[in-house]
């Protein structure tokens, strides 16, 4: 039996009651579909028939007749009208650009049965990509760690980082897009999704979202339960989204995932020489990190220190295909050589224009949750997590610009269990970025609305990007038939380790 409306959902409902809901199926817009921008899907070909457009949406949904901003939208139409069910809105996580995500899903072999039943919809969230962007005018140095804090070796490192991120927050507010910042939030991205649904003339939307996209999907189906059809949430954040507890969970995720790499490196000792056993590989990690903390290696304009080493171990843990590259990086560093190519080069950061992605991400996550404001809180958490999670704890617990962010326009949306039972969660057991511990909290928050299928795999991403046929089958079956598993269960490991 579904639980009654919780106080958390009631609070979210009251918080959004003042925001008019203008989206209805009968307000279909005449959208001008055209070729997609070439940079919407770098290195990935657009599938035949994929088109893009721009939709005007309110900057502030409390003032729907006020200023408008652009949201870039893509569509890969179903080619089988007899089987077409509706639209499948998608989000790759991040927050990051998703305009080209339908092309990525096709390349990853999204089943034809899903492509037949849905027009697959992608979009760039407000503040990012081809939607109206925001900027914090970040320098290459400020962009170096992206949205993940550096590893803090001591309390003084936390104070240093606090000063750096306070400056970032000031730059964001003072930038030419500073007036837009209060309206960059996950709740408003969800409302933009509902505007897309309405403009397409659809009464409901189905959804496939990964990583941060699971939070976006959960927020949408909390705000618009009656307009939610079949929702698949892949690699789940906790119900608070990307907040400080989520940042600290990165450290748990790295601890969960690292044994897979240690086993790989030990099994390939002859090639990499990093240790004959997983225990020896783990000891080598700490040896390299300590050595680089004391004697960083200059590489492409970047001081490759222990903090950068730890960050790349986190970033390279998303899939098995990255393990050889990570092991080679260790081998080079162990020999005192700079890794090549170094993806974190200062020149590459400046050339890629990463500022806009990082700035948009800061704006959305900082406006969507509440962060501690005391430096002592972060110092204490760093000291605790450095011991609890020695691989990455003092990075995950470090301070972010959100600690100094101006007050958002509305309180965070509270995910709850009020609405139809139409959510399927899929989750790897050893996910470094969105660990199982957070997914279990999301599962609890959604209550009877959700069923969760876990896969005995490592890495970030399950559906179509993973090799677990059991978990993939559950997601495809739900999207194409509406039939979910009757209860939560775990799929055994796939033949190919991730």
């Amino acid at each position: 039996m579904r639980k009654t409306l919780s106080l958390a959902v009631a609070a979210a409902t009251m918080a959004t009651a003042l925001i008019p809901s203008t989206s209805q199926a009968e307000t279909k817009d005449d959208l001008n579909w055209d070729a997609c921008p070439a940079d919407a899907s770098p290195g990935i070909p657009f599938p035949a028939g994929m088109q893009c457009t721009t939709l005007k949406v309110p900057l502030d949904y409390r003032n729907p007749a006020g200023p408008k901003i652009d949201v870039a939208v893509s569509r890969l139409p179903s080619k089988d009208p007899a089987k077409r069910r509706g639209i499948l809105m998608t989000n790759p996580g991040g927050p990051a650009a998703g305009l080209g995500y339908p092309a990525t899903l096709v390349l990853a072999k999204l089943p034809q049965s899903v492509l037949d039943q849905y027009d697959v919809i992608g979009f760039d969230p407000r503040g990012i990509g081809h939607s109206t962007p925001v900027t914090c005018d970040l320098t290459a140095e400020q962009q170096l760690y992206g949205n993940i804090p550096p590893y803090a070796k001591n309390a003084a490192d936390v104070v240093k980082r606090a000063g750096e991120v306070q400056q970032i927050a000031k730059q964001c507010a003072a930038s030419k897009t500073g007036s837009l910042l209060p309206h960059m939030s996950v709740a408003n991205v969800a409302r933009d999704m509902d505007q897309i649904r309405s403009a397409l003339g659809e009464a409901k939307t189905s959804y496939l979202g990964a990583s941060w996209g699971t939070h976006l999907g959960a927020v949408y189906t909390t705000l618009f339960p009656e307009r939610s059809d079949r929702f698949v949430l892949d690699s789940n954040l906790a119900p608070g989204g990307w907040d400080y507890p989520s940042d600290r969970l990165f450290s748990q995720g790295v601890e969960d995932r690292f044994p897979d790499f240690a086993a790989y490196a030990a099994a390939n000792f002859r090639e990499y020489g990093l240790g004959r056993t997983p225990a020896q590989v783990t000891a080598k990690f700490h040896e390299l990190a300590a050595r680089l903390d004391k004697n960083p290696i200059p590489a492409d304009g970047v001081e490759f220190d222990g903090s950068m080493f730890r960050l790349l171990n986190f970033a390279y843990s998303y899939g098995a295909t990255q393990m050889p590259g990570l092991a080679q990086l260790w081998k080079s560093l162990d020999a005192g050589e700079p890794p090549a190519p170094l993806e974190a080069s200062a020149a590459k950061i400046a050339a890629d224009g990463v500022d806009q992605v990082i700035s948009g991400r800061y704006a959305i996550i900082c406006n969507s949750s509440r962060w501690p404001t005391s430096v002592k809180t972060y110092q204490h958490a760093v000291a605790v997590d450095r011991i609890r999670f020695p691989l990455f704890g003092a990075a995950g617990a470090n301070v972010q610009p959100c600690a100094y962010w101006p007050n958002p326009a509305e309180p965070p949306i509270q995910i709850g269990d009020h609405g139809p039972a139409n959510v399927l969660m899929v989750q790897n057991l050893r996910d470094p970025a969105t660990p199982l511990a957070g997914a279990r909290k999301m599962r609890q928050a959604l209550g009877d609305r959700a069923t969760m299928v876990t896969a005995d795999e490592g890495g970030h991403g399950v559906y179509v990007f993973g090799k677990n046929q059991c978990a993939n089958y559950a997601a495809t079956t739900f999207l194409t038939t509406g039939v979910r598993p009757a209860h939560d269960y775990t799929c055994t490991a796939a033949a190919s380790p991730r």
Side-chain angles (χ1 to χ4, degrees):
M1 187 132 181
R2 191 167 301 125
K3 299 175 185 176
T4 57
L5 179 63
S6 67
L7 290 176
V9 176
T13 302
M14 288 186 287
T16 59
L18 299 179
I19 299 177
S21 177
T22 58
S23 299
Q24 299 296 335
E26 61 269 18
T27 61
K28 181 177 181 179
D29 291 353
D30 292 325
L31 299 174
N32 296 316
W33 296 99
D34 204 345
C36 292
D39 62 351
S41 183
I44 298 175
F46 295 124
M50 184 169 160
Q51 300 172 303
C52 289
T53 191
T54 300
L55 180 67
K56 295 287 185 182
V57 301
L59 171 65
D60 184 350
Y61 279 91
R62 296 168 300 181
N63 180 22
K68 300 292 193 294
I69 58 172
D70 292 340
V71 171
V73 183
S74 63
R75 176 180 66 178
L76 179 61
S78 164
K79 295 180 175 60
D80 193 334
K83 295 180 180 177
R84 184 186 182 279
R85 175 181 178 81
I87 58 171
L88 178 67
M89 224 170 290
T90 64
N91 182 274
L99 192 65
Y101 195 48
T104 302
L105 289 169
V106 169
L107 186 67
K109 306 298 183 187
L110 184 69
Q112 188 62 46
S113 56
V114 176
L115 295 171
D116 287 343
Q117 289 204 24
Y118 297 97
D119 295 350
V120 181
I121 308 299
F123 65 98
D124 286 349
R126 58 170 57 202
I128 293 174
H130 289 275
S131 296
T132 297
V134 297
T135 179
C136 294
D137 297 320
L138 301 173
T139 66
E141 185 178 2
Q142 288 173 327
Q143 297 171 50
L144 187 58
Y145 280 87
N147 300 100
I148 308 297
Y151 189 91
K153 299 184 292 295
N154 49 46
D157 279 355
V158 179
V159 174
K160 178 176 181 289
R161 182 61 178 170
E164 294 168 349
V165 298
Q166 187 173 24
Q167 176 59 33
I168 289 174
K170 288 180 179 178
Q171 287 175 212
C172 294
S175 77
K176 62 185 179 183
T177 59
S179 63
L180 305 179
L181 289 186
H183 309 290
M184 301 295 134
S185 67
V186 66
N188 279 337
V189 176
R191 295 177 184 117
D192 293 343
M193 284 174 55
D194 204 52
Q195 292 285 308
I196 296 170
R197 174 204 60 77
S198 174
L200 294 171
E202 300 288 339
K204 293 186 177 184
T205 183
S206 291
Y207 180 78
L208 173 61
S211 194
W212 176 83
T214 62
H215 182 54
L216 174 60
V219 168
Y220 181 92
T221 198
T222 295
L223 294 177
F224 306 105
E226 74 284 0
R227 298 172 192 163
S228 306
D229 194 8
R230 299 168 182 173
F231 271 50
V232 174
L233 308 182
D234 180 350
S235 306
N236 295 262
L237 283 168
W242 192 340
D243 55 7
Y244 186 52
S246 175
D247 248 21
R248 294 183 71 179
L249 271 181
F250 287 148
S251 306
Q252 175 70 65
V254 172
E255 296 284 342
D256 292 344
R257 175 61 164 155
F258 185 80
D260 292 336
F261 173 74
Y264 169 84
N268 292 276
F269 172 76
R270 288 186 179 181
E271 183 172 357
Y272 302 115
L274 302 173
R276 296 180 182 277
T277 66
Q280 290 177 351
V281 174
T282 303
K284 177 63 70 174
F285 173 94
H286 294 293
E287 175 193 330
L288 285 171
R291 189 195 311 172
L292 290 164
D293 279 335
K294 186 175 293 186
N295 298 299
I297 298 176
D300 295 336
V302 172
E303 284 288 295
F304 198 101
D305 59 7
S307 183
M308 182 61 69
F309 173 67
R310 292 178 175 95
L311 176 65
L312 289 188
N313 272 272
F314 169 67
Y316 277 42
S317 64
Y318 278 35
T321 58
Q322 296 174 298
M323 287 186 181
L326 180 58
Q328 185 59 51
L329 183 145
W330 280 38
K331 184 177 180 180
S332 298
L333 294 172
D334 197 30
E337 302 169 355
L342 181 59
E343 293 188 7
S345 81
K348 184 176 188 300
I349 286 172
D352 286 352
V354 179
D355 162 70
Q356 197 259 320
V357 175
I358 298 175
S359 299
R361 191 171 293 173
Y362 278 143
I364 292 173
I365 66 174
C366 294
N367 278 328
S368 302
S369 55
R370 301 292 183 267
W371 292 65
T373 58
S374 166
V375 173
K376 289 184 178 179
T377 298
Y378 293 98
Q379 289 175 318
H380 176 74
V382 162
V384 169
D385 285 3
R386 188 186 296 113
I387 296 170
R388 292 174 64 212
F389 308 115
L391 298 172
F392 203 63
N398 208 349
V399 61
Q400 291 268 38
C402 300
Y404 301 98
W405 209 255
N407 289 330
E410 63 176 306
I413 302 300
Q414 302 297 313
I415 306 303
D417 57 4
H418 179 67
N422 62 348
V423 179
L424 175 66
M425 300 169 58
V426 289
Q427 178 73 31
N428 281 331
L429 293 183
R430 300 179 303 284
D431 187 320
T434 54
L436 180 63
R440 284 174 170 160
K441 292 180 181 178
M442 175 73 90
R443 172 70 184 84
Q444 183 179 18
L446 288 169
D448 292 341
R449 295 201 66 186
T451 298
M452 185 163 76
V453 174
T454 51
D456 185 5
E457 308 288 347
H460 189 50
V462 179
Y463 186 49
V464 302
F465 296 99
K467 298 182 181 298
N468 193 288
Q469 295 183 6
C470 166
N472 281 324
Y473 175 81
T476 297
T477 299
F478 177 55
L479 286 174
T480 56
T481 70
V483 176
R484 294 186 314 168
H487 51 79
D488 297 357
Y489 64 84
T490 298
C491 297
T492 57
S496 300
R498 296 186 70 245

